[in-house]
Amino acid sequence: MHFDQLRLIRSPNIVPVSYRQLMARFGNARAALEALPDLIRRGGGKRVVLANEAAIAREFQFVQAFGARYVFIGDADYPYLLSHLDNAPPVICVKGNLELLACPAVALVGARNASAGACQFARQLAFELGQMGLSVVSGLARGIDTAAHAGSIESGTVAVIAGGIDVVYPPENRALQHAIAERGLLIAEQPPGTEPRARHFPYRNRIIAGVSAGTVVIEAAPKSGSLITARLAADAGLEVMAIPGSPLDPRSRGCNQLIREGATLVQNASEIAELISPLDNRILAPPVKWEPSIAVIADDSSHTERSAVIDRMGMTYVSVDELVRQSGSSPSTVQMVLLEFELAGKLERGAGGKVRLAT
Amino acid sequence: MHFDQLRLIRSPNIVPVSYRQLMARFGNARAALEALPDLIRRGGGKRVVLANEAAIAREFQFVQAFGARYVFIGDADYPYLLSHLDNAPPVICVKGNLELLACPAVALVGARNASAGACQFARQLAFELGQMGLSVVSGLARGIDTAAHAGSIESGTVAVIAGGIDVVYPPENRALQHAIAERGLLIAEQPPGTEPRARHFPYRNRIIAGVSAGTVVIEAAPKSGSLITARLAADAGLEVMAIPGSPLDPRSRGCNQLIREGATLVQNASEIAELISPLDNRILAPPVKWEPSIAVIADDSSHTERSAVIDRMGMTYVSVDELVRQSGSSPSTVQMVLLEFELAGKLERGAGGKVRLAT
């Protein structure tokens, strides 16, 4: 079963949303894989390529030999909060103690070039949060992330990395990354061997925010990845907190801006724990089984229906609701047409679930 | 007319609330003065003493000779926002340019022992707010207040002092106080000659907050007068803003706490002006005439009604609503009984309009 799931996930043009839609439509990964060629053809795809079975087998072997394992969405030990993201990763690769995400977790994120004072503060904060029984989540980057992991290595630290589970980054954190895999928890979404690229970091950030009941930002530039993480947390209905700073210190601008946008100003571990604890029950409750059928899609689509939707798409992003209105088709039919089109590599999804023709 | 008003204000046991109630009940100060002996006797007062007429005449002469003047609530040039406070001062003594309160004003307040950096910041902020056409209001204390006045002395600065209009405090601000009276606006509520005492500062703070469309706090200790000013502004429905600081700096605690309680985090003059400008029209609109009859009080009270209210009062504060419920009398009768009792010196008013027997 997991073999089929990973093969489906690694097949071309499968993203978290299309994985979810296929699982909802076909019930399991094998049925989805069998239907895939038809769907791709209906979407106008010329070449039908599924992930190579031997490669999938090698990937499982490598991960096992590396001492890591896969956790699929829908598995009992898949992080409960994470499964609630619209674009929750269909699979994560984990090495270490997954139990750390069975306790309430708080993300500490911030600038790579943070001041020494802020790094010391982050380390102490992570230590105190750990003493309060919270797991500390961060991204293993330089600066604040490193300090957060260092402060919570004894109590329970979770690092989400942008590349593959076996790829060390940044190089100076080699020893820390190994220590976290041994004593904490290391999480990767990209396949083994993947070198982290700029485009991977927003994906990593959504996992940092998504596994944590709350995200705390310490010293961040106004347009930094830390602020993206914070906004992802807010979008997912999770708690967003920020450590304030003097307007005379340019490094405070991102955090102060977040507070102006509605993040809660926090000054110490108790103020953070106060905002996290009400979620305990939600996290500690026996997880409800993951239900992929949130996006209702039609059983099939006719040529006429496909044309009605596709004729209304162009190079600019449009919302699915707008396509439903303009095409006169049902929402489930429009979703099916878009899925087929996406699997054929002809669709791009943007912010807010908007879609356009692939360039 | 102003003579009678000042005589009423300076008579024993007259506070802003009782002044307003008397004006509402009797229409003008002369009628209220004539009724006062009866009211005091009904409240059980033994000695009926009104303010000495010769002393009132001397006070007017002194203020005029000093180059100041009185502005009474209800006068066309009484500060419009201030008149909306429940406990608006019945009269203020002003020296300088009262027109400064016809433009939108912003209060800058903070710690007397603020850091040099914060004082420099306050001075620059006051300067920039002045350049944007805002008057800057503060309390002429050491530290942040002094910096705020210094930064806005050219553009328009308003100082509210705790003692009499002719009393310099603190001594090192003698030159600044004189400069403000000449080039800005100096406001005092206490009679000339009054040395500022601890109990006067909360009264001064309510005027600072009350004449300003918004109050900005810069570096304040958690239980400081600046925070009281901010809470008075919030209670009056005015904008409260605070400059954040690092949790590592103990001087930031008051401001960070205020932000946690709902004050808006601001970092510079533009962010302040943005919150103030929507009020422009409210301030610049032709003022509605002050209407004292907000608190409805009965024409008269019977002995039975008085006993029903007074028997239910003790040494602990009780709300007027509670007295109405327990006594079975109408709200206006209860207000009248309380007014008579207050004029007789037998009633104390506390926070939230609660009352108790005078000790």
Side-chain angles (χ1 to χ4, degrees):
Chain A
M1 182 184 115
H2 278 168
F3 186 91
D4 291 331
Q5 280 174 274
L6 191 63
R7 191 174 176 220
L8 180 58
I9 292 163
R10 297 283 183 252
S11 289
N13 302 318
I14 300 289
V15 296
V17 172
S18 48
Y19 178 82
R20 175 184 288 244
Q21 289 178 323
L22 288 168
M23 293 295 272
R25 168 71 185 82
F26 298 101
N28 62 65
R30 167 146 304 186
L33 280 168
E34 282 166 5
L36 218 44
D38 259 8
L39 296 172
I40 293 172
R41 273 188 288 267
R42 279 217 292 272
K46 298 283 179 292
R47 292 181 61 226
V48 173
V49 186
L50 303 188
N52 179 281
E53 292 185 87
I56 298 301
R58 281 195 304 273
E59 186 176 334
F60 269 112
Q61 280 159 12
F62 176 86
V63 163
Q64 189 177 15
F66 187 71
R69 68 186 177 95
Y70 282 120
V71 183
F72 291 83
I73 193 163
D75 289 356
D77 51 357
Y78 187 92
Y80 178 64
L81 283 176
L82 187 61
S83 71
H84 285 71
L85 291 190
D86 283 342
N87 60 351
V91 67
I92 53 174
C93 188
V94 300
K95 188 173 184 190
N97 179 12
L98 194 57
E99 286 293 304
L100 290 176
L101 290 180
C103 337
V106 60
L108 293 191
V109 298
R112 284 188 295 273
N113 62 349
S115 66
C119 288
Q120 173 54 32
F121 181 81
R123 188 183 173 123
Q124 179 65 25
L125 200 58
F127 176 79
E128 291 174 19
L129 291 166
Q131 297 310 303
M132 292 172 167
L134 294 164
S135 297
V136 172
V137 182
S138 198
L140 204 58
R142 298 180 183 97
I144 296 295
D145 287 18
T146 298
H149 291 303
S152 55
I153 187 79
E154 300 292 338
S155 55
T157 200
V158 180
V160 185
I161 56 176
I165 193 83
D166 57 325
V167 176
V168 167
Y169 185 85
E172 66 266 40
N173 274 352
R174 175 175 297 275
L176 181 59
Q177 185 165 333
H178 287 155
I180 293 171
E182 293 303 316
R183 302 161 65 187
L185 173 64
L186 193 65
I187 302 182
E189 182 184 15
Q190 302 305 319
T194 309
E195 291 291 332
R197 302 275 174 238
R199 68 174 186 282
H200 296 138
F201 288 90
Y203 298 138
R204 178 205 54 176
N205 292 344
R206 90 185 192 289
I207 301 178
I208 293 173
V211 297
S212 308
T215 294
V216 181
V217 185
I218 307 168
E219 274 196 8
K223 291 185 179 174
S224 59
S226 305
L227 293 209
I228 292 171
T229 307
R231 290 186 183 118
L232 290 169
D235 289 347
L238 301 163
E239 203 65 54
V240 182
M241 296 158 268
I243 308 289
S246 162
L248 298 172
D249 181 354
R251 298 183 212 237
S252 306
R253 272 183 210 145
C255 284
N256 288 347
Q257 185 55 36
L258 266 186
I259 295 165
R260 282 173 59 79
E261 291 171 9
T264 304
L265 183 157
V266 291
Q267 304 172 89
N268 52 49
S270 333
E271 290 176 356
I272 294 167
E274 209 171 82
L275 289 170
I276 295 301
S277 31
L279 283 165
D280 282 9
N281 290 339
R282 193 169 118 195
I283 299 162
L284 299 175
V288 180
K289 182 143 175 49
W290 179 70
E291 181 50 75
S293 60
I294 291 164
V296 176
I297 61 173
D299 283 1
D300 210 344
S301 67
S302 72
H303 177 72
T304 323
E305 287 169 329
R306 283 198 293 276
S307 306
V309 175
I310 291 160
D311 290 352
R312 277 160 185 86
M313 290 176 64
M315 306 304 282
T316 53
Y317 282 108
V318 61
S319 74
V320 176
D321 284 353
E322 188 57 32
L323 286 176
V324 170
R325 260 196 300 280
Q326 291 197 9
S327 67
S329 300
S330 71
S332 60
T333 297
V334 172
Q335 292 286 12
M336 192 65 192
V337 171
L338 293 176
L339 174 59
E340 291 162 356
F341 215 51
E342 181 171 25
L343 294 173
K346 298 188 166 183
L347 180 109
E348 277 179 19
R349 291 187 193 266
K354 291 189 172 186
V355 293
R356 68 170 183 181
L357 294 183
T359 47
Chain B
M1 179 184 114
H2 278 168
F3 186 92
D4 291 330
Q5 280 174 273
L6 191 62
R7 190 173 177 223
L8 180 59
I9 292 163
R10 297 282 183 251
S11 289
N13 302 318
I14 300 288
V15 296
V17 172
S18 48
Y19 178 81
R20 175 185 289 244
Q21 289 177 325
L22 288 167
M23 293 294 273
R25 168 72 184 82
F26 298 102
N28 62 63
R30 168 145 303 187
L33 280 166
E34 282 165 5
L36 217 44
D38 259 7
L39 296 173
I40 294 171
R41 271 189 289 267
R42 278 217 294 273
K46 298 285 179 289
R47 296 180 60 225
V48 172
V49 186
L50 303 188
N52 179 281
E53 293 185 86
I56 299 300
R58 280 196 304 274
E59 187 175 331
F60 269 113
Q61 280 157 13
F62 175 86
V63 163
Q64 190 178 15
F66 186 70
R69 68 187 177 93
Y70 282 122
V71 183
F72 291 83
I73 194 163
D75 289 355
D77 52 357
Y78 187 91
Y80 179 65
L81 283 175
L82 188 61
S83 70
H84 285 72
L85 290 190
D86 284 342
N87 60 351
V91 67
I92 53 175
C93 189
V94 300
K95 188 171 184 192
N97 179 13
L98 194 56
E99 286 293 305
L100 290 177
L101 290 180
C103 337
V106 61
L108 293 191
V109 299
R112 285 188 296 274
N113 63 351
S115 65
C119 289
Q120 172 55 31
F121 181 80
R123 188 182 173 125
Q124 178 66 23
L125 200 58
F127 176 80
E128 291 174 17
L129 290 167
Q131 297 310 305
M132 291 173 169
L134 294 164
S135 297
V136 172
V137 182
S138 198
L140 205 61
R142 298 180 183 98
I144 296 294
D145 288 18
T146 298
H149 292 304
S152 55
I153 187 80
E154 300 292 338
S155 55
T157 200
V158 180
V160 186
I161 56 177
I165 193 83
D166 57 325
V167 176
V168 166
Y169 185 85
E172 67 265 41
N173 275 352
R174 174 173 299 274
L176 181 59
Q177 186 165 335
H178 288 157
I180 293 172
E182 293 303 316
R183 302 161 64 189
L185 173 65
L186 193 65
I187 302 181
E189 181 183 16
Q190 302 305 319
T194 310
E195 292 290 333
R197 302 276 174 239
R199 68 174 185 282
H200 296 139
F201 288 90
Y203 298 139
R204 177 205 52 174
N205 292 344
R206 88 185 193 289
I207 301 178
I208 293 174
V211 296
S212 309
T215 295
V216 181
V217 186
I218 306 168
E219 273 196 10
K223 290 184 180 175
S224 59
S226 305
L227 293 210
I228 293 172
T229 307
R231 289 186 184 116
L232 291 168
D235 289 349
L238 301 164
E239 203 65 54
V240 182
M241 293 157 272
I243 308 288
S246 161
L248 297 172
D249 181 354
R251 298 183 212 238
S252 306
R253 274 185 208 141
C255 284
N256 288 348
Q257 186 54 37
L258 265 187
I259 295 166
R260 281 173 60 79
E261 291 171 9
T264 304
L265 183 158
V266 290
Q267 305 171 90
N268 53 49
S270 334
E271 289 176 357
I272 294 167
E274 206 171 84
L275 289 169
I276 296 302
S277 32
L279 282 165
D280 282 7
N281 290 338
R282 193 169 119 195
I283 299 161
L284 298 175
V288 179
K289 181 142 174 50
W290 179 70
E291 181 50 74
S293 59
I294 291 162
V296 176
I297 62 173
D299 283 2
D300 211 344
S301 68
S302 73
H303 177 72
T304 323
E305 288 170 328
R306 283 199 291 279
S307 307
V309 175
I310 291 158
D311 290 353
R312 279 161 184 83
M313 290 177 63
M315 307 304 282
T316 53
Y317 282 109
V318 61
S319 74
V320 176
D321 283 353
E322 188 58 32
L323 286 175
V324 170
R325 258 195 303 279
Q326 292 196 10
S327 67
S329 300
S330 71
S332 60
T333 299
V334 172
Q335 292 284 12
M336 191 66 191
V337 172
L338 294 176
L339 174 59
E340 292 163 356
F341 216 52
E342 182 170 26
L343 293 172
K346 298 187 165 186
L347 181 108
E348 279 178 16
R349 291 188 194 263
K354 292 188 170 187
V355 294
R356 67 171 184 182
L357 294 182
T359 46

